[in-house]
């Protein structure tokens, strides 16, 4: 995973899915967050990345990624806590940084933890008082998931724009586990996930 979390020189900022898709699939199938003796699997993640050297190409394409991620100096695979939640980090320095926001987790009892800050709270609480800290952990056996790409967290108006064809498919920078039943997702946050399934299935 550390190798994948080094953004390659061939990374194309106008087609980020080409780089992010294999990372998402491997992360959701082969990795989890270990908190002491408890394990959380990735149910929903979002990619954020900014590289100053790409600014001109992005501006020419009418895109601007500047300011979409928190500046950091981290190693690949570090967990980085910030005001919006927790990222699994790419190798990052000031002018080239980013990570994968943990938006939803599912535990071994198939309970969804929905929302970035709720994920942080669940991870830290699961570590208890034994000085354990959450960490990225490679599982012995791959998890059976159906990782689907979608757009980052959106409200109903944004979903409508997507449905009307006003979004670029190359910017599907979020992934979620479609093998988790809609009932489980809806139980976690019905107003959001029912809308997501509605538009992602059309």
């Amino acid at each position: 995973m550390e190798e994948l979390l080094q953004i390659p020189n061939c990374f194309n900022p106008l087609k980020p899915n080409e780089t992010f898709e294999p990372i998402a699939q491997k992360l959701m199938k082969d990795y989890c967050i270990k908190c002491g003796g408890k394990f959380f699997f990735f149910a929903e993640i979002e990619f954020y990345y900014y590289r100053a050297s790409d600014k001109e190409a992005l501006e020419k394409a009418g895109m601007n990624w500047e300011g979409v991620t928190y500046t950091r100096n981290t190693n690949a695979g570090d967990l980085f806590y910030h005001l919006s939640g927790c990222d699994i980090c790419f190798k990052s320095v000031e002018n080239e940084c980013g990570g994968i926001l943990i938006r939803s987790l599912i535990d071994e009892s198939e309970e969804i933890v929905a929302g970035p800050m709720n994920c942080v709270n669940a991870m830290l609480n699961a570590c208890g008082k034994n000085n354990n800290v959450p960490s990225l952990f490679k599982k012995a056996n791959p998890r059976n998931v159906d990782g689907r790409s979608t757009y980052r967290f959106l409200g109903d108006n944004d979903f409508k724009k997507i449905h009307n064809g006003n979004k670029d498919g190359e910017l599907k920078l979020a992934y979620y586990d479609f093998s988790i039943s809609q009932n489980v997702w809806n139980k976690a946050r019905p107003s959001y996930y029912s809308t997501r399934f509605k538009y992602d299935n059309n």
Side-chain angles (χ1 to χ4, degrees):
M1 179 53 71
E2 286 188 9
E3 290 180 12
L4 283 175
L5 293 174
Q6 311 276 349
I7 293 292
N9 290 332
C10 60
F11 173 67
N12 182 347
L14 304 181
K15 294 187 176 182
N17 306 54
E18 293 177 357
T19 296
F20 295 155
E21 172 85 24
I23 297 172
Q25 299 297 342
K26 188 167 185 64
L27 189 65
M28 296 180 82
K29 290 178 181 177
D30 295 337
Y31 286 83
C32 63
I33 295 291
K34 182 179 180 183
C35 305
K38 186 164 184 174
F39 299 90
F40 291 99
F41 308 106
F42 300 106
E44 187 179 14
I45 54 178
E46 292 178 353
F47 284 77
Y48 292 87
Y49 187 72
Y50 173 72
R51 188 164 64 180
S53 59
D54 295 327
K55 186 175 180 181
E56 184 176 345
L58 291 169
E59 287 176 345
K60 282 184 179 178
M63 300 159 60
N64 179 16
W65 289 14
E66 193 169 9
V68 301
T69 189
Y70 292 91
T71 302
R72 67 201 67 186
N73 285 283
T74 57
N75 294 313
D78 285 353
L79 295 184
F80 176 70
Y81 298 90
H82 49 74
L83 293 175
S84 302
C86 178
D87 290 352
I88 300 161
C89 292
F90 294 112
K91 171 69 177 173
S92 297
V93 293
E94 186 173 345
N95 291 319
E96 184 175 346
C97 60
I100 305 161
L101 178 68
I102 302 170
R103 176 161 284 284
S104 299
L105 296 167
I106 187 166
D107 65 17
E108 294 166 286
S109 66
E110 298 296 305
E111 286 290 320
I112 290 271
V113 180
M117 293 310 300
N118 288 334
C119 290
V120 170
N121 291 337
M123 288 158 49
L124 295 177
N125 287 334
C127 284
K129 301 177 181 178
N130 300 320
N131 295 321
N132 294 310
V133 294
S135 60
L136 189 62
F137 183 78
K138 191 175 192 304
K139 304 194 308 303
N141 300 307
R143 188 163 174 263
N144 184 23
V145 301
D146 180 6
R148 302 275 184 100
S149 64
T150 188
Y151 295 94
R152 291 180 182 144
F153 179 78
L154 300 163
D156 191 57
N157 288 335
D158 288 315
F159 275 121
K160 288 176 182 175
K161 289 178 184 177
I162 292 169
H163 190 60
N164 292 329
N166 296 328
K167 287 282 186 177
D168 185 347
E170 289 291 347
L171 297 181
K172 284 190 171 183
L173 302 179
Y175 296 82
Y176 66 110
D177 186 352
F178 202 75
S179 64
I180 299 170
S181 75
Q182 291 188 33
N183 288 338
V184 173
W185 280 114
N186 290 341
K187 185 179 176 183
R189 189 174 182 183
S191 61
Y192 173 67
Y193 291 111
S194 61
T195 305
R196 165 158 280 182
F197 278 106
K198 173 184 173 183
Y199 286 111
D200 280 351
N201 283 329
N202 290 325

